[in-house]
Amino acid sequence: KLYNKLEIIDEYAFNNADYIMFPCIEAEEPYYNNWDKYSSIHKNNVKKYFYVPTGIKMCVPVNDRNKIVSSYNIPNDSFLISYVGRHNTIKGYDKLQLIAKKLFNELNNVQFIIAGREYPLVGLNDSRWHEIGWTKDAYSILSASNVFILPNKDTYFDLIFIEALSLGKIIVASNTGGNKFFARNKVEGVFLYNDINEAVEIIKKISCIDDKERIKLEQNNKAFYLRYLTTTEFLKSYLNIIEKL
């Protein structure tokens, strides 16, 4: 009963709002995928829509890589993959484990560091899989890793994606929802995959690149954040559109 009421509320909001703001066109994909009525709602209200990419403050790590790897008994020369988020199927945590199992068989030095409450799904029983639980220092976990992975089943416009960009991290993410915005904008340090095997192959290739190429990809990601996804750029874009409405 509650769910049905929420759907009525959502439908009313879309149909009666003067304007509808999304961060990007791709962020509408979960609505199309999970709500049969959304296609007609969008069509009936198409002139109301405008798009402003979300902006965030620059993320700053507290601890460096040496501190993080030593704290969790991770070899310093590891190829370290990070995940930060809820442990459920919508966030792709189950798929992340499948990716890890394949990589454990194919990469000698790969390690995973995982932040977030270990519920409802729990981590792998493997010495190369490090669950640190809920933390106030997620930015240090991201910054210490070689790659950040975002394996969402569905996604709107995930803030953790932007946070990873602001830290200059190479990102491997599922080809869904708001993640596609970064592919459309050809962000060179962002790699999207369609299935587990493709994710594994992408990560293996990244693990083989030299320092010069890695630094270039990291710099490209941070540059894209600075150009389009800071709070200043968000405010400028938002006000520019509001003034024209």
Side-chain angles (χ1 to χ4, degrees):
K1 290 181 180 179
L2 176 60
Y3 186 87
N4 288 337
K5 287 180 180 178
L6 291 174
E7 183 178 6
I8 292 168
I9 292 168
D10 277 359
E11 185 174 1
Y12 179 90
F14 276 106
N15 288 330
N16 288 276
D18 293 306
Y19 297 99
I20 301 166
M21 184 177 83
F22 274 82
C24 61
I25 293 172
E26 293 85 353
E28 293 181 74
E29 186 178 286
Y31 285 84
Y32 285 112
N33 290 346
N34 297 287
W35 190 14
D36 292 338
K37 291 183 179 180
Y38 186 73
S39 182
S40 61
I41 288 172
H42 180 101
K43 184 177 180 180
N44 293 334
N45 294 283
V46 66
K47 292 183 179 180
K48 297 179 181 180
Y49 282 76
F50 66 94
Y51 302 89
V52 180
T54 306
I56 64 165
K57 290 183 178 180
M58 173 79 74
C59 298
V60 180
V62 175
N63 295 300
D64 63 14
R65 178 181 168 102
N66 288 334
K67 175 68 174 179
I68 294 300
V69 296
S70 63
S71 296
Y72 299 103
N73 297 315
I74 300 170
N76 196 37
D77 61 349
S78 297
F79 184 77
L80 188 57
I81 299 172
S82 62
Y83 170 85
V84 176
R86 294 190 293 275
H87 290 33
N88 60 33
T89 56
I90 292 296
K91 301 299 289 184
Y93 183 79
D94 56 332
K95 302 297 185 186
L96 174 66
Q97 293 184 344
L98 296 176
I99 291 168
K101 287 178 181 179
K102 283 183 172 289
L103 285 170
F104 288 156
N105 291 327
E106 299 184 37
L107 281 181
N108 293 327
N109 65 335
V110 69
Q111 301 267 333
F112 282 76
I113 186 166
I114 312 296
R117 185 185 176 203
E118 202 173 348
Y119 176 85
L121 302 179
V122 298
L124 295 176
N125 184 22
D126 191 292
S127 62
R128 295 162 291 184
W129 182 276
H130 307 270
E131 289 279 352
I132 66 171
W134 188 89
T135 177
K136 292 183 178 179
D137 194 19
Y139 299 153
S140 295
I141 301 301
L142 288 171
S143 182
S145 63
N146 299 93
V147 167
F148 169 67
I149 187 166
L150 190 63
N152 318 65
K153 178 182 177 182
D154 277 317
T155 190
Y156 178 69
F157 197 72
D158 211 320
L159 287 179
I160 194 68
F161 199 123
I162 311 175
E163 290 168 336
L165 284 176
S166 81
L167 290 163
K169 290 293 98 182
I170 296 172
I171 298 172
V172 176
S174 53
N175 188 27
T176 187
N179 295 349
K180 295 179 179 179
F181 167 84
F182 301 96
R184 172 162 62 87
N185 284 280
K186 297 180 173 58
V187 186
E188 292 184 34
V190 172
F191 301 87
L192 301 190
Y193 64 86
N194 294 297
D195 57 45
I196 290 168
N197 290 330
E198 188 176 7
V200 169
E201 291 306 312
I202 289 170
I203 291 169
K204 285 166 60 179
K205 288 179 181 177
I206 295 171
S207 73
C208 294
I209 64 176
D210 59 29
D211 287 345
K212 183 178 180 180
E213 178 64 17
R214 175 185 55 79
I215 291 169
K216 178 184 174 184
L217 294 174
E218 291 174 345
Q219 290 176 339
N220 284 338
N221 282 2
K222 190 157 192 172
F224 187 83
Y225 160 76
L226 291 170
R227 175 64 184 86
Y228 297 106
L229 300 171
T230 64
T231 51
T232 301
E233 289 302 317
F234 173 76
L235 182 61
K236 283 167 58 178
S237 299
Y238 179 73
L239 292 178
N240 183 52
I241 289 178
I242 292 297
E243 288 169 357
K244 296 176 182 178
L245 296 180

